[in-house]
Amino acid sequence: MTHIPSPFISKEGWPFVSRNPSLSWPGLAALLSAPFLTVMSAFSVMVAAPSIQSEFDASAAQISAIISGYAVAYAAALIPGSRLGDIVGRRRMFAFGMLAFGATACLSAAATNIWWLIAARTLQGFAAAAAFPQVLTIIRLQAGDEQARARGFAAFGVALGVSGITGQVLSGAMIDTDFAGLGWRGIFLVNPLVAVAACLIVWREIPETRVSPAPRLDGPGALLSALGFGLLLVAALSASGDLTTAGGVALAALILLAIFAHRQVRLSRDDSHPLVPVTLFQSRFGWALAAAGLFHTTVVAFPLTMAVFLQAGLGQSAWTAGLFGLPVTIAFLCASSLSERVLRVWPPYRVMICGGALTALGLAACAGAGFSGTPALLIGPLLVVGWGQGWFLPLLLNAALSGLRPTLAGAGSGMLATMQQLGGGFGAAAANGVYFHLIQGSSTAGLAFVLATFIPTIAAVCAIALLPNPAEA
């Protein structure tokens, strides 16, 4: 079987060594329920926001807090969550996070007032951060070879793509039909059932792994990283409102992150169990982080802007707007499933370049189709976007983590997931900010959509530029 080299492999060439590395399809499917549920939940609540606002007579700020509370807690706890997996065991941490996610979903469904719902959703964000990074680490460590890892990360990317459209379509259908008389509360009750089933399968199919000897948790570092990354996302989410306040929050976040970075350098030098070892960045992993953060703008920001444009700009229903995510998902599935054959002919670096270019071209074509005001014209460009994402994202995840030593896999997974979350948050804030700013002026919805789509398009181009060429290694 053809070996698939990684363009980000560290110069040490540190091989992965395990007694019986294996990852069964039932185990992988159960693991992927974590990224699927965590992303689907975010999209579901966005669709359900008008119904929640109506029932509780909530303000726009309170509805925003339901969405941003989850996102901020999620981003803030990813790095500590991945480190705890290194210490107590990835399988155990995954099970804890999933069960907590299901429990907090039940709390959300039982909410009797808006503040209860805000608190439950924030707790759910912390639970998601406990489970999510373990998936990347387990795929990295348990897949038997490079091709198995590539397939695992391709499936991970598919789960992310499917989750967004599922969240929109499923929640729209449940709310429109008032399934079992539950209204918007029904969107939360799927979570505990899937979470419990996933835990049972993972406990049976996935062996426990941890760093040995177990490192100590850098408590002050965990707090600094959580506050720094959390405030950074708060600044992004609030940038469309008061720019002065957002700038102050961003400055505070950068100061905290600078202190955090200085602490990690000192602890790495003293070999005193840093939360994020500096050796993580001795290879070209840092460039992969930047590329992942930028490219995730196309995964998060563009679908949100398109959903707003289709509903508010072109008068489509939430159900119809959700269906426009299907072309991207279908193309992503096809591209990911065929990528192994393509890699027999082309090296991963070239496939990623082509994937990024297709994504950028597809987004540009979507902008033109949106400007025409004919929704059907979006279908072709959306297929191109999905195909490009299917060739770029899974290979980037595989390349970034495959080049790390097994002892750094947890820290790398946490950083990678955090950068994806921040990239998506900043991209969504920028694209939607541009869209709504132009709509409030004299611009048409079509022109606003074109200029808002320009942001993820440029992000895709920049992500391509950041990919290190293995020929220059």
Side-chain angles (χ1 to χ4, degrees), residues 76-88:
L78 281 167
I79 293 176
S82 67
R83 191 56 164 173
L84 284 171
D86 290 341
I87 297 170
V88 305

Side-chain angles (χ1 to χ4, degrees), residues 18 57-59 121 125 127 155 158 168 189 193 215 217 245 304 314 350 367 391 410 414 431 472:
S18 177
D57 193 24
S59 66
R121 282 292 289 168
V158 169
Q168 296 176 67
L189 297 181
L193 299 176
L217 178 65
T245 302
L304 291 178
L314 300 184
R350 184 176 297 179
W391 271 4
E472 299 173 358

Side-chain angles (χ1 to χ4, degrees), residues 2-296:
T2 306
H3 174 68
I4 303 173
S6 168
F8 298 111
I9 194 75
S10 60
K11 292 183 179 180
E12 298 95 336
W14 204 291
F16 170 61
V17 179
S18 177
R19 291 181 180 176
N20 295 298
S22 62
L23 189 58
S24 66
W25 281 111
L28 178 60
L31 284 174
L32 295 178
S33 67
F36 180 83
L37 285 183
T38 55
V39 175
M40 185 187 76
S41 180
F43 278 93
S44 296
V45 171
M46 291 176 190
V47 174
S51 300
I52 295 172
Q53 185 174 23
S54 176
E55 177 172 334
F56 290 136
D57 193 24
S59 66
Q62 289 171 326
I63 293 299
S64 177
I66 297 172
I67 298 170
S68 60
Y70 177 85
V72 170
Y74 189 14
L78 281 167
I79 293 176
S82 67
R83 191 56 164 173
L84 284 171
D86 290 341
I87 297 170
V88 305
R90 284 90 183 210
R91 184 180 67 174
R92 183 176 287 111
M93 200 65 190
F94 174 89
F96 168 78
M98 290 297 284
L99 293 176
F101 191 87
T104 49
C106 292
L107 285 175
S108 299
T112 58
N113 59 69
I114 193 65
W115 296 111
W116 178 336
L117 185 56
I118 291 171
R121 282 292 289 168
T122 302
L123 291 174
Q124 198 170 24
F126 286 119
F132 187 94
Q134 316 311 327
V135 179
L136 291 171
T137 307
I138 292 173
I139 293 175
R140 161 65 180 90
L141 296 180
Q142 287 302 126
D145 54 33
E146 188 76 21
Q147 288 181 319
R149 281 197 294 272
R151 287 192 293 268
F153 286 120
F156 178 88
V158 169
L160 291 181
V162 173
S163 62
I165 180 61
T166 302
Q168 296 176 67
V169 174
L170 181 62
S171 58
M174 294 184 74
I175 293 169
D176 287 346
T177 60
D178 192 21
F179 178 76
L182 293 171
W184 60 267
R185 298 173 192 273
I187 67 174
F188 293 108
L189 297 181
V190 177
N191 298 342
L193 299 176
V194 176
V196 171
C199 288
L200 292 174
I201 297 173
V202 164
W203 210 262
R204 175 185 174 89
E205 297 286 337
I206 306 295
E208 184 65 279
T209 60
R210 63 172 62 87
V211 174
S212 181
R216 295 191 304 271
L217 178 65
D218 175 20
L223 181 61
L224 284 169
S225 70
L227 289 175
F229 286 117
L231 287 176
L232 201 59
L233 191 55
V234 168
L237 294 172
S238 60
S240 59
D242 188 348
L243 284 177
T244 302
T245 302
V249 173
L251 179 60
L254 293 175
I255 292 172
L256 289 171
L257 291 175
I259 298 172
F260 169 71
H262 179 268
R263 178 180 177 83
Q264 299 312 296
V265 170
R266 179 172 59 81
L267 292 178
S268 296
R269 184 176 60 244
D270 299 338
D271 196 20
S272 299
H273 304 284
L275 192 67
V276 180
V278 173
T279 52
L280 189 67
F281 301 96
Q282 288 180 354
S283 64
R284 290 176 290 179
F285 180 73
W287 293 107
L289 284 180
L294 284 167
F295 195 78
H296 212 63

Side-chain angles (χ1 to χ4, degrees), residues 330-353:
I330 292 170
F332 195 111
L333 285 166
C334 293
S336 298
S337 63
L338 293 174
S339 61
E340 188 173 342
R341 296 182 183 180
V342 177
L343 289 169
R344 296 172 185 170
V345 181
W346 287 355
Y349 174 74
R350 184 176 297 179
V351 177
M352 282 189 284
I353 291 291

